[in-house]
Amino acid sequence: TRRSSDLFRSGLELRAEWQPIKGLLLRNNSALNYSQIIDEDNNQQFAPILTPWLIISQEVLYQIQDWQFSILARYQGSSYID
């Protein structure tokens, strides 16, 4: 589109850590995104490309003496180029 001057973005981001026992740490980082572009030429609304609506990252860390181990998992919602 040539004129897409109207863009609306809003979102929420959450970061949390919890240590249930000594040496074990659980982390979460989540982001929600809502974005819309208004195409004034064709009177249409659409979402920006390559902008996922949800990203979640979770990590488990374990530390014993001088050693630290971690596992990280990440989820990213769909994003399209069409």
Side-chain angles (χ1 to χ4, degrees):
T1 64
R2 290 185 178 194
R3 260 184 9 186
S4 59
S5 60
D6 293 332
L7 172 63
F8 175 78
R9 289 182 183 256
S10 66
L12 176 68
E13 190 165 337
L14 170 70
R15 183 174 190 267
E17 290 186 359
W18 181 48
Q19 187 172 8
I21 60 173
K22 184 180 177 184
L24 181 65
L25 181 65
L26 306 174
R27 286 186 183 154
N28 178 294
N29 189 13
S30 301
L32 291 170
N33 177 34
Y34 177 76
S35 301
Q36 289 293 312
I37 296 175
I38 298 173
D39 180 2
E40 296 172 357
D41 293 337
N42 297 318
N43 214 15
Q44 295 179 336
Q45 273 188 317
F46 55 92
I49 61 172
L50 301 176
T51 305
W53 70 277
L54 176 65
I55 298 173
I56 298 173
S57 177
Q58 295 187 338
E59 186 175 11
V60 177
L61 291 102
Y62 183 70
Q63 183 171 354
I64 185 167
Q65 296 177 359
D66 293 337
W67 292 87
Q68 181 174 340
F69 305 93
S70 67
I71 296 174
L72 176 68
R74 182 181 168 116
Y75 171 81
Q76 181 173 322
S78 300
S79 56
Y80 302 99
I81 296 183
D82 48 317

